[in-house]
């Protein structure tokens, strides 16, 4: 057979010219612990299951205490039966060396470089808590695949040259080819190779301990690049019934243990009992079979990833980490509103004009579009000149832009469909926590007469940025991202952790998610580049990206951005409050804003995205109209009403745009474009916010109440736009949302039909054939995917 196209050519090894001889470090990721076992994909395992024809089961294990005299001077197996009186109870205690039958990746390293698989060092292995290259990683899914027995002993005996079991005897690559040909055995990529070298009884092995293995030598495969190429191109693991896979003494300078274990992560099995298997294979005339092998599962500290969280606990950790990013976002959203009117700030920067105030706030948004947060916070807090302050705002904006545009995609892709809206909405409530923190911190420092009144609030951004980074460090990568990058096993493991409840994995959900994801990736496989981002393709990429960009751009023109950034300024200039009163009311407003946002946790899923958008826009339009009238009247009573309108506006805003755009944008994006598309959509949000924030201080100073009329008109215009263009996505998985856009037609109507079918309990999958409104059918790729266990 030929090597799989999924692996590099043997002639390309080592993959990195600076790595050891023939190594493939990094092929499956720098932190991979499975090596060649990654070749045991669900497709390979599914094909192996077809080898089950007779139902016969054969053990390949030796007794734990065989051989009686341990090989290579290793400690003997010990077994104690300890009574646990006074009850009639016994406990069995075992002590054994697992290296007696399996060689893991930390058993034998590159001797010159003193490195193990993927560059792991001796110091890492002996750190006390490390599971680097441990066989415990194999136990999570086991070694399951198609086994192939090459019965060298029977073939050589038939040739009239039976091999000696106690002495140096090399099995060449040609020998193995001849054995396979005589058996009629054809190899398949990913096979588990078993080589029978001889009929080795426990008594014969005992002699090795009497006079030393090194003096006598032993049978095994001949070392060489041709043998290594054979293993590289065909197998997922190799094993034999001899004390070592390789002939001893070695007949070339190539140490295959180094390459197989340390270079490739190829498991080696030794001292397997192949006698009964060989007898049965000869009886039925077939030397291929379904094989499984299980190892001991070690559980050290770092073998519990993501702080040991699973299921709802892991979802909570992801939401809290994403929420911390939004605390950071909200903090900056609110911090400049109070800083701009702080007396010490105005004095330090020579009473900046309305135009310059808009620039100081909006220049941060340009940084967000570019997408170094802590450095920006330091620059801002240390500023003595406007130019330095502007540079600090840009640098901080770059950091926040990178965080926000990625963190919302990450959370969306990690969240199950039925909780996605709620979890993202809860994280957005953290944004308001950041605003509350900013406003009350500024209110508390507002009585300080020195520059610390504004420097400390700006410097505090760095603390929040560091906290966000620390929390994210302990959380998993998006499984959908890993799947798209062909890190399938790691992605499935995260899906299994996310769907573990009370210690039980919901295999049905994992299987459904993995299958739909595989189908979605197949459909989108040709739409991954920037050029395809706005093309009209079979998954509706252009329409989906444009919808996300449109809804993001609309937010700032609803009036939310100036309310967020210039709350204190509006209370002072439009409503007529003093600085301290405006700061106090702004702080109370943010507490109300946070409280109102809790309603979004319920409405985002129960009411849906579309209704939330339309009702919210209608409410904001009415409120902005009343606010404009009250500001125009300009009396004490109208000021009170205007203040109440701002409070009411924040409630309608958080029930619509606040949670809606951050949930809606990432979930309607096709997987291949989700990161790029959401980055573009977020850029549209920042750019529109930049324009609004830049002009609002000037507009308030120039046309006053008419500014709020403008926002009322925009909100009214959004209602029909949402109704006709934006499909409902609540209750749909990310892959089911794909179905609303596949094959043309009206996605609003198709999404509504999908939701009706799901509510009726119908099974909706991507392998269906959709009909356009004109009745023409379009083919959709159908894949079958099988994950670990049931999945």
């Amino acid at each position: 057979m030929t090597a799989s196209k999924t692996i590099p050519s043997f002639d390309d090894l080592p993959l990195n010219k600076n790595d050891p001889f023939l190594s493939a470090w990094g092929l499956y990721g720098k932190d991979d612990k499975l090596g060649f076992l990654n070749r045991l994909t669900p497709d390979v395992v599914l094909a192996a299951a077809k080898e089950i024809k007779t139902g016969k089961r054969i053990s390949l294990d030796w007794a734990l205490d065989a051989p009686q005299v341990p090989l290579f001077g290793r400690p003997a197996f010990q077994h104690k039966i300890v009574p646990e009186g006074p009850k009639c109870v016994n406990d069995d205690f075992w002590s054994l060396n697992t290296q007696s039958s399996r060689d893991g990746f930390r058993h034998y390293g590159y001797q010159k470089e003193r490195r193990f698989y993927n560059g792991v060092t001796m110091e890492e292995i002996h750190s006390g808590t490390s599971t680097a290259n441990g066989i415990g990683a194999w136990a999570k899914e086991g070694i399951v695949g198609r086994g192939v027995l090459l019965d060298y002993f029977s073939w050589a005996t038939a040739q009239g040259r039976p091999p000696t079991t106690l002495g140096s005897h090399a099995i060449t690559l040609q020998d193995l080819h001849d054995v396979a040909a005589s058996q009629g055995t054809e190899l398949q990529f990913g096979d588990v190779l078993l080589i029978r070298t001889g009929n080795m009884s426990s008594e014969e092995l005992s002699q090795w301990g009497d006079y030393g293995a090194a003096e006598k030598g032993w049978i095994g495969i001949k070392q060489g690049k041709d043998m290594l190429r054979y293993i590289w191109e065909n197998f997922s693991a190799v094993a034999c019934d001899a004390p070592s896979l390789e002939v001893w003494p070695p007949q070339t300078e190539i140490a295959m243990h180094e390459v197989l274990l340390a270079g490739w992560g190829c498991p080696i099995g030794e001292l397997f009992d192949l006698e009964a298997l060989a007898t049965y294979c000869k009886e039925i005339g077939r030397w291929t079979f379904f094989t499984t092998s299980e190892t001991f599962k070690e559980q050290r500290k770092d073998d519990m990833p993501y702080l040991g969280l699973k299921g709802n606990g892991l979802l909570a950790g992801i939401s809290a980490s994403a929420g911390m990013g939004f605390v950071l976002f909200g903090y900056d959203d609110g911090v400049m509103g109070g800083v701009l009117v702080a007396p010490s700030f105005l004095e330090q920067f020579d009473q900046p004009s309305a135009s310059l105030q808009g620039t100081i706030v909006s220049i941060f948004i340009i940084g967000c579009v570019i997408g170094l947060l802590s450095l920006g916070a330091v620059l801002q807090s240390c500023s003595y000149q406007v130019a330095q302050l502007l540079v600090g705002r840009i640098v901080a904006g770059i950091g926040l832009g990178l965080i926000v545009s990625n963190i919302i995609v990450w959370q969306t892709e990690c969240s199950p469909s039925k909780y996605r809206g709620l979890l993202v909405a809860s994280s957005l409530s953290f944004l308001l926590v950041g605003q509350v923190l900013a406003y009350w911190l500024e209110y508390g420092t507002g009585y300080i007469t020195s520059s610390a009144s504004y420097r400390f609030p700006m410097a505090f951004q760095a603390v929040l940025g560091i906290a966000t980074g620390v929390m994210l460090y302990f959380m998993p990568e998006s499984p959908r991202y890993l799947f798209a990058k062909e890190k399938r096993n790691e992605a499935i493991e995260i899906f299994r952790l996310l769907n573990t409840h009370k210690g039980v994995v919901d295999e049905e959900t994992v299987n459904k998610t993995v299958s739909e994801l595989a189908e979605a990736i197949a459909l989108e496989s040709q739409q991954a580049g920037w050029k395809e981002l706005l093309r009209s393709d079979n998954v509706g990429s252009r329409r989906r990206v444009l919808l996300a960009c449109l809804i993001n751009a609309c937010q700032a023109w609803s009036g939310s951005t100036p309310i967020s950034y210039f709350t204190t300024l509006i209370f002072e200039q439009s409503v007529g409050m003093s600085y301290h009163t405006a700061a106090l009311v702004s702080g109370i407003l943010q507490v109300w804003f946070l409280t109102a946002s809790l309603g979004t946790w319920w409405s985002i899923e129960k009411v849906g995205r579309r209704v939330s958008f339309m009702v919210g826009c209608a409410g904001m339009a009415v409120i902005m109209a009343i606010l404009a009238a009250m500001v125009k009247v300009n009396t004490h009573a109208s000021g009170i009403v205007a203040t109440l309108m701002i409070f009411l506006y924040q409630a309608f805003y958080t029930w619509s745009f606040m949670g809606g755009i951050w949930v809606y944008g990432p979930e309607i994006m096709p997987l291949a474009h989700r990161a790029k598309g959401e980055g573009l959509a977020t850029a549209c949000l920042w750019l529109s916010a930049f324009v609004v924030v830049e002009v609002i201080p000037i507009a308030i100073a120039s046309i006053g109440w008419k500014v709020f009329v403008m926002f009322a008109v925009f909100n009214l215009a959004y209602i029909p736009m949402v109704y006709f263009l934006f499909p409902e996505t609540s209750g749909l998985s990310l892959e089911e949302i794909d179905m609303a856009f596949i094959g043309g037609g009206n996605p609003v109507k198709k999404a509504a039909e999908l939701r009706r079918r799901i509510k009726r309990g119908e099974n909706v999958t991507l392998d269906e054939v959709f009909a356009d409104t004109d009745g023409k059918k379009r083919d959709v790729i159908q894949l079958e995917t099988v994950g670990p266990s049931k999945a």
Side-chain angles (χ1 to χ4, degrees):
M1 65 164 289
T2 58
S4 169
K5 295 181 180 179
T6 62
I7 62 171
S9 167
F10 179 82
D11 296 321
D12 293 335
L13 301 178
L15 297 183
N16 186 327
K17 65 179 181 179
N18 296 320
D19 287 344
F21 177 66
L22 294 180
S23 65
W25 292 354
L27 177 60
Y28 300 106
K30 63 182 180 65
D31 297 321
D32 175 61
K33 298 179 181 180
L34 296 178
F36 267 28
L37 297 184
N38 285 290
R39 299 179 172 194
L40 295 174
T41 64
D43 291 337
V44 170
V45 175
L46 184 62
K50 297 177 182 178
E51 295 288 332
I52 302 175
K53 300 181 185 301
T54 66
K56 177 72 172 180
R57 293 173 295 168
I58 298 175
S59 172
L60 306 183
D61 290 333
W62 281 62
L64 289 173
D65 59 349
Q68 295 298 320
V69 178
L71 306 181
F72 316 119
R74 288 175 173 144
F77 171 77
Q78 295 181 12
H79 179 203
K80 295 181 180 180
I81 304 176
V82 179
E84 297 290 339
K87 293 183 179 181
C88 185
V89 175
N90 292 300
D91 283 349
D92 285 73
F93 290 87
W94 294 352
S95 175
L96 72 160
N97 185 325
T98 60
Q99 226 65 57
S100 298
S101 59
R102 291 184 181 90
D103 286 348
F105 303 157
R106 60 186 177 206
H107 169 54
Y108 199 96
Y110 280 104
Q111 299 304 296
K112 178 182 177 182
E113 293 83 359
R114 296 187 64 78
R115 289 288 190 274
F116 296 85
Y117 178 60
N118 265 350
V120 171
T121 65
M122 284 286 283
E123 290 72 22
E124 290 178 78
I125 291 174
H126 291 276
S127 65
T129 60
S130 174
T131 57
N133 290 345
I135 60 174
W138 306 357
K140 291 182 178 180
E141 297 182 18
I143 302 175
V144 182
R146 178 180 183 260
V148 173
L149 175 67
L150 295 185
D151 190 352
Y152 173 77
F153 182 83
S154 294
W155 173 82
T157 300
Q159 300 295 314
R161 47 188 180 94
T164 175
T165 57
L166 296 178
S168 181
H169 184 104
I171 302 173
T172 67
L173 177 59
Q174 187 58 52
D175 289 337
L176 296 181
H177 285 313
D178 291 343
V179 172
S182 70
Q183 297 176 172
T185 301
E186 295 184 2
L187 303 180
Q188 297 178 7
F189 182 74
D191 282 345
V192 176
L193 174 62
L194 305 177
I195 301 174
R196 181 182 177 229
T197 63
N199 190 8
M200 304 179 69
S201 68
S202 182
E203 290 74 17
E204 289 175 307
L205 284 175
S206 298
Q207 298 177 38
W208 289 69
D210 294 337
Y211 49 77
E215 297 179 6
K216 191 71 174 176
W218 60 77
I219 188 171
I221 59 176
K222 183 178 180 180
Q223 298 93 339
K225 291 185 71 173
D226 59 341
M227 188 67 76
L228 287 169
R229 179 189 295 271
Y230 177 66
I231 295 173
W232 172 265
E233 294 180 347
N234 292 288
F235 305 111
S236 59
V238 292
C240 66
D241 56 357
S244 175
L245 178 70
E246 304 162 56
V247 63
W248 184 263
Q251 298 186 4
T252 70
E253 295 182 357
I254 295 177
M256 290 181 59
H257 259 55
E258 286 188 353
V259 178
L260 293 178
L261 296 175
W264 300 345
C266 175
I268 297 176
E270 293 156 345
L271 297 175
F272 276 37
D273 184 355
L274 303 179
E275 299 307 300
L277 176 64
T279 300
Y280 186 70
C281 286
K282 184 176 181 181
E283 177 184 327
I284 65 174
R286 181 166 57 89
W287 284 262
T288 59
F289 39 85
F290 182 79
T291 184
T292 66
S293 179
E294 189 62 52
T295 62
F296 292 108
K297 185 175 182 179
E298 59 183 353
Q299 185 83 7
R300 291 189 177 184
K301 184 177 180 181
D302 69 0
D303 199 35
M304 296 182 289
Y306 323 127
L307 304 178
L309 298 174
K310 297 179 181 180
N312 292 336
L314 184 56
L315 284 174
I318 290 170
S319 297
S321 301
M324 194 63 201
F326 279 99
V327 169
L328 181 60
F329 181 15
Y331 184 84
D332 188 86
D333 211 10
V335 73
M336 288 308 296
V339 164
L340 285 175
V341 292
S344 57
F345 178 86
L346 296 173
E347 180 181 350
Q348 177 66 53
F349 295 100
D350 300 323
Q351 304 294 324
S353 64
S355 175
L356 184 55
Q357 287 182 5
T359 301
I360 290 172
V361 175
S362 63
I363 201 72
F364 172 84
I365 299 172
I366 290 298
C368 291
V369 175
I370 300 172
L372 319 179
L373 185 70
S374 297
L375 176 60
V378 172
L379 289 173
Q380 292 176 77
S381 62
C382 296
S383 295
Y384 286 90
Q385 301 293 330
V386 172
Q388 184 183 356
L389 179 63
L390 294 178
V391 171
R393 294 289 290 166
I394 291 175
V395 173
I398 292 173
L400 187 63
L402 285 170
I403 292 171
V404 173
S405 62
N406 285 282
I407 209 168
I408 195 66
V409 172
W410 170 68
Q411 186 184 18
T412 298
E413 293 188 342
C414 290
S415 302
S417 59
K418 62 180 179 180
Y419 298 130
R420 188 172 60 245
L422 183 150
L423 292 174
V424 176
S426 66
S427 291
L428 291 166
S429 291
F430 282 96
L431 186 152
L432 304 180
V433 171
Q435 288 191 349
V436 169
L437 179 62
Y439 277 102
W440 284 106
L441 185 61
E442 286 177 333
Y443 182 74
T445 59
Y447 293 93
I448 301 174
T449 56
S450 69
S451 62
S453 64
Y454 71 86
R455 294 189 190 278
F456 178 74
M458 287 196 292
F460 194 70
Q461 295 173 86
V463 176
L464 299 177
I466 293 170
T468 301
V470 170
M471 293 178 70
L472 289 171
Y473 175 80
F474 293 102
M475 292 295 106
E477 179 58 88
S478 161
R480 287 175 168 85
Y481 168 83
L482 293 172
F483 218 103
K485 294 299 180 181
E486 298 183 355
K487 297 181 179 180
R488 184 190 184 98
N489 288 338
E490 187 176 349
I492 291 176
E493 180 62 23
I494 294 173
F495 276 131
R496 289 169 62 81
L497 288 174
L498 288 169
N499 289 280
T500 298
H501 304 288
K502 296 182 179 179
V504 179
V505 179
D506 184 351
E507 299 288 4
E508 183 177 353
T509 299
V510 173
N511 183 49
K512 182 175 184 292
T513 302
V514 170
S515 297
E516 290 179 347
L517 186 53
E519 293 168 1
I521 290 174
L523 286 170
E524 299 169 9
S525 60
Q526 303 302 316
Q527 289 86 37
W530 280 101
K531 291 190 301 182
E532 289 78 19
L533 195 63
L534 295 176
R535 285 186 180 177
S536 179
D537 52 38
N538 63 336
V539 293
S541 294
R542 178 168 62 191
R543 181 166 189 162
R544 298 162 77 170
V545 171
L546 290 177
L547 284 177
C549 291
L550 178 60
I551 199 67
N552 275 265
C554 288
Q555 175 187 287
W557 295 99
S558 71
S560 63
T561 299
I563 293 291
S564 296
Y565 279 98
F566 300 111
T567 302
T568 307
L569 185 67
I570 291 172
F571 281 142
E572 278 197 76
Q573 296 188 8
S574 296
V575 181
M577 297 179 182
S578 67
Y579 165 67
H580 285 294
T581 301
L584 176 61
V585 175
S586 294
I588 297 172
L589 174 63
Q590 299 313 312
V591 174
W592 161 247
F593 198 4
L594 173 60
T595 303
S597 73
L598 301 181
T600 310
W601 298 20
W602 174 83
S603 64
I604 196 75
E605 293 294 349
K606 298 298 183 180
V607 177
R609 282 52 150 173
R610 279 165 51 86
V611 174
S612 295
F613 278 133
M614 291 186 287
V615 172
C617 288
M620 289 188 292
V622 173
I623 291 167
M624 282 295 183
I626 296 174
L627 180 60
M630 294 301 100
V631 172
K632 184 178 187 302
V633 171
N634 194 24
T635 64
H636 177 71
S638 68
I640 295 175
V641 175
T643 300
L644 292 176
M645 288 301 102
I646 292 177
F647 273 74
L648 193 56
Y649 172 87
Q650 292 290 62
F652 275 94
Y653 168 66
T654 192
W655 297 334
S656 56
F657 274 99
M658 176 68 187
I661 66 165
W662 294 105
V663 175
Y664 198 79
E667 67 184 6
I668 67 169
M669 291 288 183
L671 176 61
H673 294 318
R674 189 163 290 139
K676 299 184 184 74
E678 182 57 19
L680 182 61
T682 304
C684 290
L685 182 151
W686 295 123
L687 286 171
S688 63
F690 169 77
V691 174
V692 173
V693 172
E694 179 71 24
V695 303
I696 283 304
I698 303 172
I700 290 176
S702 301
I703 62 175
W705 60 274
K706 296 177 183 178
V707 171
F708 304 106
V709 174
M710 175 184 69
F711 290 132
V713 172
F714 274 112
N715 281 302
L716 282 175
Y718 295 157
I719 298 173
M721 179 192 76
V722 171
Y723 182 81
F724 289 108
L725 297 180
F726 291 82
E728 182 56 69
T729 57
S730 64
L732 300 178
S733 71
L734 298 180
E735 289 68 46
E736 287 166 346
I737 293 171
D738 283 340
M739 299 172 66
F741 292 91
I742 291 174
N746 187 334
V748 175
K749 294 181 179 179
K750 291 170 71 174
E753 176 60 23
L754 282 171
R755 296 179 75 242
R756 283 193 292 268
R757 292 177 57 188
I758 291 172
K759 286 182 178 179
R760 291 196 299 264
E762 296 182 25
N763 186 30
V764 177
T765 60
L766 275 170
D767 62 359
E768 298 184 16
V769 179
F770 283 87
D772 281 344
T773 52
D774 60 1
K776 295 180 180 179
K777 291 186 176 181
R778 300 176 181 271
D779 291 331
V780 179
I781 296 174
Q782 179 177 358
L783 299 177
E784 184 173 9
T785 304
V786 179
S789 301
K790 181 181 176 181

